[in-house]
């Protein structure tokens, strides 16, 4: 019998950067997951067993992520969920294989995790490349032509940067420049001053929140009013707060329906549960966590009597799951998940508007 069953709980692990550069968005996604798990537990759990989210902080470090995943695997978790970042998630892959452990809804869109298919990874969000393509299409759609790409020089940046280039190609545009920066030493002021002097109309900014904040502030200090578009890894309340008065008008891609849209069944359910828990709104990251938890619960229910890792894998492969207006379909050859992409704009109230 799995340790999870022996302990009278269905234990789901989450290895992610609860401290470090992605802490804000990680904490928000965990809050969203717990919102749904708590609601299920309040209704008696699944066959009388509560779901427990067991978290470990990988500090956004691949080696730490691998060790934490191995630790949770040895503790008998049924699955992992909501890992954050390309490097940490890739580092977990050998652990998943060795333990036949599913990873559900990782919060990374790295194409290396989609192609070729990773048999133990079940995606929910669209890829980074699709996000970047969507950002470029939005900019082109509002008449912008002089676009520069600024990306962190790492696997995440290189991956998403390809999507931005693809989006430009589709719109029959070319980047005015394609610039890279060091994640650990961004030093973006000279780059932003050069962009301002070149009268660039828009910057597709691919990078961690602290670097994008530094870059946007430097761009505005240089006198540029260029549009700035960044990806959903920066869709957090702390990102908006860090930008301060420069937050207004920043474009941020989103991978789930608008978190205020009560016409969407998933959002309506999440908002109702949030209100019952004393909250009155959701962030994009909280909605992603909520959707991921809903996917986990549906998979457990479909596993039926076989509440094991193997049972969960069998339940997911070939599954068609309605998450409330969002349809997820997995096959043995395709674990892509959703292809939904949208954009939001940070409004004067510091909220993400669509």
């Amino acid at each position: 019998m799995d340790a999870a069953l022996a302990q009278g709980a269905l234990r789901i692990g989450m290895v992610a950067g609860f401290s470090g550069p992605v802490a804000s968005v990680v904490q928000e996604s965990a809050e969203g997951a717990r919102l749904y798990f708590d609601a299920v537990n309040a209704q008696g759990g699944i066959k009388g067993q509560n779901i427990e989210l067991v978290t470990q902080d990988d500090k956004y470090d691949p080696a730490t992520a691998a060790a934490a995943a191995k630790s949770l695997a040895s503790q008998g978790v049924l699955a992992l969920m909501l890992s954050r970042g390309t490097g940490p998630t890739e580092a977990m892959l050998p652990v998943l294989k060795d333990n036949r452990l599913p990873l559900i809804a990782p919060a990374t869109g790295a194409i290396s995790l989609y192609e070729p298919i990773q048999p133990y990874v079940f995606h929910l969000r669209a890829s980074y490349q699709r996000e970047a393509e969507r950002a470029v299409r939005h900019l082109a759609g509002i008449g912008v032509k002089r676009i520069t790409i600024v990306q962190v020089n790492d696997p995440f940046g290189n991956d998403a940067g390809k999507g931005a280039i693809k989006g430009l190609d589709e719109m029959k545009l070319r980047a005015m420049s394609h610039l890279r920066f060091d994640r650990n030493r961004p030093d973006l002021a000279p780059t932003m001053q050069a962009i301002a002097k070149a009268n660039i109309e828009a910057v597709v900014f691919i990078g961690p929140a602290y670097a994008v904040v530094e870059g946007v502030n430097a761009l505005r200090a240089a006198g540029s009013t260029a549009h700035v578009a960044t990806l959903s890894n920066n869709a957090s309340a702390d990102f908006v707060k860090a930008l301060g008065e420069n937050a207004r008008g920043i474009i941020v891609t989103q991978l789930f329906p608008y978190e205020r849209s009560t016409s969407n069944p998933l959002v309506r359910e999440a908002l109702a549960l949030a209100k019952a828990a004393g909250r009155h709104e959701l962030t994009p990251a909280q909605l992603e966590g909520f959707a991921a938890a809903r996917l986990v619960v549906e998979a457990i229910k479909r596993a039926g009597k076989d509440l094991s890792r193997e049972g969960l894998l069998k339940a997911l492969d070939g599954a068609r799951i309605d998450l409330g207006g969002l349809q997820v379909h997995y096959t043995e050859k395709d674990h892509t998940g959703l292809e939904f992409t949208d954009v939001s704009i940070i409004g004067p109230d510091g909220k993400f508007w669509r």
Side-chain angles (χ1 to χ4, degrees), residues 132-325:
E133 286 178 49
R134 181 67 178 88
V136 169
R137 289 201 307 272
H138 172 79
L139 292 170
I142 60 175
V144 172
K145 298 184 183 303
R146 295 175 58 82
I147 300 174
T148 281
I149 301 169
V150 179
Q151 63 151 93
V152 61
N153 192 21
D154 67 5
F156 160 57
N158 295 334
D159 188 2
K162 290 178 182 177
I165 293 295
K166 184 177 179 181
L168 288 167
D169 288 343
E170 290 174 352
M171 304 307 296
K172 302 190 184 313
L173 295 171
R174 295 186 65 183
M176 302 304 295
S177 57
H178 190 162
L179 310 172
R180 293 169 171 81
F181 63 89
D182 188 310
R183 173 182 285 273
N184 297 318
R185 298 184 300 277
D187 191 23
L188 288 161
T191 299
M192 295 302 140
Q193 289 165 5
I195 288 173
K197 289 180 181 178
N199 294 318
I200 297 299
E201 294 177 287
V203 178
V204 178
F205 212 141
I206 301 165
Y210 63 86
V212 176
V213 169
E214 178 185 326
V216 169
N217 290 341
L219 186 67
R220 299 299 182 236
S224 173
T225 58
H227 297 281
V228 175
T230 190
L231 303 193
S232 66
N233 62 298
N234 295 324
S236 74
D238 275 7
F239 175 67
V240 177
K241 183 178 179 181
L243 281 169
E245 61 183 13
N246 288 328
R248 184 173 181 175
I250 300 298
I251 299 160
V252 185
T253 55
Q254 304 292 354
L255 299 174
F256 293 88
Y258 187 32
E259 61 275 8
R260 299 182 186 181
S261 178
T262 55
S263 63
N264 178 273
L266 176 72
V267 176
R268 188 164 59 246
E269 179 184 22
L271 286 171
L273 291 176
K275 185 176 181 180
R279 310 174 195 171
H280 299 286
E281 59 184 22
L282 295 169
T283 66
Q286 286 170 337
L287 185 61
E288 179 173 6
F290 185 89
R294 211 173 185 285
L295 177 57
V296 168
V297 168
E298 288 300 317
I300 293 173
K301 288 179 177 178
R302 287 166 184 252
K305 294 181 179 179
D306 189 4
L307 288 178
S308 66
R309 295 170 185 171
E310 199 66 40
L312 215 54
L313 289 167
K314 290 178 181 177
L316 284 165
D317 271 324
R320 290 182 180 272
I321 298 175
D322 182 355
L323 297 178

Side-chain angles (χ1 to χ4, degrees), residues 34-55:
R34 286 196 173 97
L35 180 65
Y36 189 71
F37 287 154
D38 288 348
V40 171
N41 291 341
Q43 296 296 318
I46 299 176
K47 296 181 180 178
Q49 294 175 285
N50 283 350
I51 303 172
E52 180 185 355
L53 183 64
V54 185
T55 63

Side-chain angles (χ1 to χ4, degrees), residues 6-36:
Q7 294 174 9
L10 303 170
R11 307 181 79 219
I12 305 297
M14 179 177 174
V15 176
F18 286 89
S19 65
V22 296
S24 175
V25 72
V26 164
Q27 289 163 4
E28 288 179 16
S29 62
E31 289 168 2
R34 286 196 173 97
L35 180 65
Y36 189 71

